[in-house]
């Protein structure tokens, strides 16, 4: 016997079916375009030795962007803020202490290591730790980006581009004070990449903890973390996003309860557009030297034309790529971070960043504000190149991959590997070796009173010197008992 049909029951059933289908469709869409769980990702996730090799090579390449004589130097906040406070405060007090209005977990941890080891080693500790984060960013692209960028040649090109971006060779080179910029990109790939097994989640969790604990700008990755929770089917798939939100909440709490130095005025829209097209797009594609030569020949016309061309490339990526959400996410992140940095760049009421007028084509100071936009731009270009690759006929496939890999390497290595722009690299090259400063301070303290203050020189200028009292600086230069003499430091 056929059951009676109740009026409206069919439409109600359809509505329930549609309601259940929409979340499934959203999950499938996100999985396909941004969080693929492919065999390629599993293969690279199960090759720890390859990943270790990528990290080591990238770290060495990043470290050598400074001349070796500069490894034994310390840059600005690394010494004056992080090392000095690690020496003069307890571990927990130092770790939770904001600087410039937010927490800096990674620099604080590095400073703790430097304070535990012989003090004369601190220059090397900070230089290597700064390069190691660049290596970690390269590893994240290579290992965590394998599903989104399955072409090994193109992924290698993006990995190399992350290490060699021009802005990374200026004021952020081999220091940990600016390492949070590279951590932000690393956190993006940690949230996007899906690794097999619980052990595979350990490093991505560490990455998002260090990133969110070192830069409140990681809040811009919240939509990516939400998407990761939407597609997650297991607790293992959720743990990276949950760790990110937990530490981000701590960071934002500290940020909102802290004071930050006054920001400068917001630049005019035209200056913002030119600043992005010149400092991010032109410098990344042509190198800083190439961008300056282009301006010398074409004035601003070449900058605008190249910016428009890269916008067209992004549109191609959005139309052709199977990972169009990844293309959109990296492109939007590049522009958004640039605008946010422009709004919060430090300075007085008359300061605008990016600079305009006579300073509009000078890359230093402020090059650090272009690191994250450039990193995301490199990622977007790699994703777009992969989309183009998928439309090439077979015979052209491998030559095109090799060309796309080698071309940016040639440009960046030949012109910007060791940047000759005025600024941080040159200033660190003129700084006295840190170990020499420690030895000189130790000798001076042998004939000085215990409460006499001694200054240890730090690049770029005396404002950033580390100040110790002789009572806490032993004759060997190793302040082993420094934490028992908190008054012995000037913070």
């Amino acid at each position: 016997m056929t059951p009676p049909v109740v009026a409206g029951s069919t439409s109600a059933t359809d509505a329930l079916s549609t309601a259940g289908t929409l979340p499934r469709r959203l999950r499938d869409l996100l999985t396909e375009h941004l969080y693929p769980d492919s065999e390629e990702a599993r293969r690279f996730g199960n090759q720890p030795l390859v990943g270790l090799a990528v990290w080591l090579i990238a770290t060495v390449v990043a470290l050598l962007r400074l001349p070796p004589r500069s490894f034994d130097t310390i840059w600005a906040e690394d010494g004056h803020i992080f090392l000095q406070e690690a020496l003069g405060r307890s571990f927990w007090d130092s770790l939770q202490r904001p600087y410039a209005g937010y927490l800096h977990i990674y620099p604080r941890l590095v400073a703790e290591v430097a304070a535990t080891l012989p003090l004369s080693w601190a220059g090397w500790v900070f230089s290597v730790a700064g390069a190691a984060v660049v290596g970690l960013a390269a590893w994240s692209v290579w290992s965590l980006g394998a599903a989104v960028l399955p072409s090994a040649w193109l992924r290698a090109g993006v990995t190399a581009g992350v290490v060699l971006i021009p802005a990374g060779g200026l004021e952020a080179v081999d220091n940990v004070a600016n390492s949070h910029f590279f951590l932000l990109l690393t956190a993006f790939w940690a949230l996007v990449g899906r690794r097999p097994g619980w052990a595979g989640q350990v490093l991505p969790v560490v990455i998002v903890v260090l990133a969110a604990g070192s830069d409140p700008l990681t809040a811009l990755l919240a939509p990516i973390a939400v998407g990761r929770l939407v597609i997650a089917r297991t607790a293992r798939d959720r743990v990276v996003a949950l760790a990110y939100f937990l530490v981000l909440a701590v960071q934002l709490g500290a940020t909102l309860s802290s004071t930050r130095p006054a920001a400068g005025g917001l630049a005019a829209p035209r200056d913002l557009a030119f600043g992005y097209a010149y400092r991010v797009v032109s410098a990344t594609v042509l190198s800083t030297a190439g961008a300056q030569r282009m301006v010398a020949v074409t004035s601003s016309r070449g900058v605008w034309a190249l910016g428009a061309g890269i916008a067209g490339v992004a549109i191609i990526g959005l139309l052709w790529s199977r990972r169009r959400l990844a293309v959109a996410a990296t492109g939007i992140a590049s522009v958004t971070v640039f605008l946010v940095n422009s709004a919060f760049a430090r300075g007085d009421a008359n300061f605008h960043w990016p600079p305009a007028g006579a300073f509009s084509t000078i890359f230093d100071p402020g090059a650090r504000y272009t690191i994250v936009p450039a990193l995301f731009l490199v990622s977007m270009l790699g994703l777009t190149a992969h989309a183009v690759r998928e439309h090439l006929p077979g015979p052209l496939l491998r030559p095109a991959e090799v060309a796309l890999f080698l071309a940016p390497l040639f440009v960046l290595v030949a012109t910007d590997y060791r940047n000759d722009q005025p600024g941080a690299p040159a200033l660190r090259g003129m700084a006295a070796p840190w170990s020499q400063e420690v030895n000189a301070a130790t000798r001076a303290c042998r004939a000085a009173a215990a409460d006499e203050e001694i200054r240890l020189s730090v690049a770029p200028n005396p404002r950033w010197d580390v100040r110790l009292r002789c009572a806490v600086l032993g004759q060997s230069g190793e302040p082993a008992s420094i934490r028992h003499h908190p008054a012995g430091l000037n913070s």
Side-chain angles (χ1 to χ4, degrees), residues 3-296:
V5 177
V6 179
S9 63
T10 301
S11 59
T13 302
D14 291 344
L16 289 173
S17 176
T18 301
T21 301
L22 287 176
R24 192 181 311 115
R25 288 178 177 173
L26 176 61
R27 186 164 52 241
D28 292 344
L29 178 69
L30 290 172
T31 301
E32 179 183 358
H33 291 287
L34 190 56
Y35 310 94
D37 187 13
S38 69
E39 185 60 35
E40 190 80 3
R42 293 182 180 277
R43 183 163 67 87
F44 281 94
N46 290 321
Q47 292 182 333
L49 292 180
V50 175
L52 178 62
V54 169
W55 174 73
L56 285 173
I57 293 170
T59 298
V60 171
V61 171
L63 182 65
L64 290 172
R65 295 192 77 172
L66 273 182
R69 67 177 181 275
S70 298
F71 295 167
D72 186 23
T73 59
I74 295 180
W75 178 257
E77 294 97 332
D78 285 0
H80 184 68
I81 300 297
F82 302 125
L83 178 60
Q84 186 162 289
E85 293 185 357
L87 291 169
R89 299 176 181 275
S90 69
F91 171 76
W92 179 247
D93 186 28
S94 174
L95 193 67
Q96 66 176 338
R97 183 177 174 83
Y99 168 67
Y102 58 97
L103 299 176
H104 297 258
I105 298 300
Y106 182 70
R108 298 287 189 189
L109 292 175
V110 172
E112 290 294 327
V113 173
T116 302
L117 295 172
L119 186 61
S120 57
W121 297 4
W124 278 85
V125 171
F126 280 99
S127 294
V128 173
V133 168
V134 180
L136 188 61
W139 172 87
S140 72
V141 174
W142 178 257
S143 295
L144 301 177
V148 179
L149 269 171
S151 166
W153 280 101
L154 293 180
R155 194 166 67 258
V158 176
T159 300
V162 165
V163 179
L164 297 171
I165 59 164
L170 290 167
E171 59 187 329
V173 64
D174 294 347
N175 65 67
V176 301
N178 293 305
S179 58
H180 56 96
F181 296 118
F182 287 93
L183 282 171
L184 204 156
L185 175 83
T186 310
F188 169 82
W189 288 110
L191 290 166
V192 169
R194 300 170 65 187
R195 305 185 81 199
W198 278 101
Q201 313 313 309
V202 173
L203 192 49
V205 166
V206 171
I207 287 169
V208 297
V209 166
L210 292 177
S214 301
D215 192 342
L217 270 184
T218 51
L220 297 175
L221 300 179
I224 306 298
V226 170
R228 178 67 177 262
L229 292 177
V230 169
I231 62 99
R233 296 178 181 272
T234 65
R236 185 193 69 208
D237 235 6
R238 297 185 186 97
V239 66
V240 177
L242 292 176
Y244 159 82
F245 279 119
L246 177 63
V247 180
L248 180 63
V250 175
Q251 173 70 269
L252 293 180
T255 302
L256 293 174
S257 61
S258 303
T259 56
R260 178 177 171 82
L266 187 63
R270 180 181 174 83
D271 292 334
L272 288 171
F274 180 82
Y276 182 81
Y278 177 70
R279 296 173 178 276
V280 178
V281 174
S282 301
T284 301
V285 175
L286 301 177
S287 78
T288 55
Q292 288 176 327
R293 283 195 293 269
M294 180 178 68
V295 169

Side-chain angles (χ1 to χ4, degrees), residues 349-434:
N350 297 316
F351 177 85
H352 294 82
W353 195 89
F359 299 99
S360 62
T361 59
I362 299 176
F363 285 99
D364 246 3
R368 64 189 182 276
Y369 297 127
T370 66
I371 291 174
V372 180
L375 291 171
F376 278 111
L377 176 65
V378 168
S379 299
M380 188 272 289
L381 292 175
L383 291 164
T384 300
H386 196 277
V388 173
R389 170 192 178 275
E390 293 174 340
H391 288 75
L392 290 176
L396 294 178
L397 197 59
R398 184 51 53 85
E401 286 183 316
V402 175
L404 289 169
F405 166 65
L406 292 178
L409 289 187
F410 176 78
V411 171
L412 295 177
V413 172
T415 59
D416 262 351
Y417 180 61
R418 284 189 180 158
N419 204 301
D420 60 358
Q421 296 287 323
L427 291 171
R428 283 187 71 168
M430 293 185 290
W434 173 256

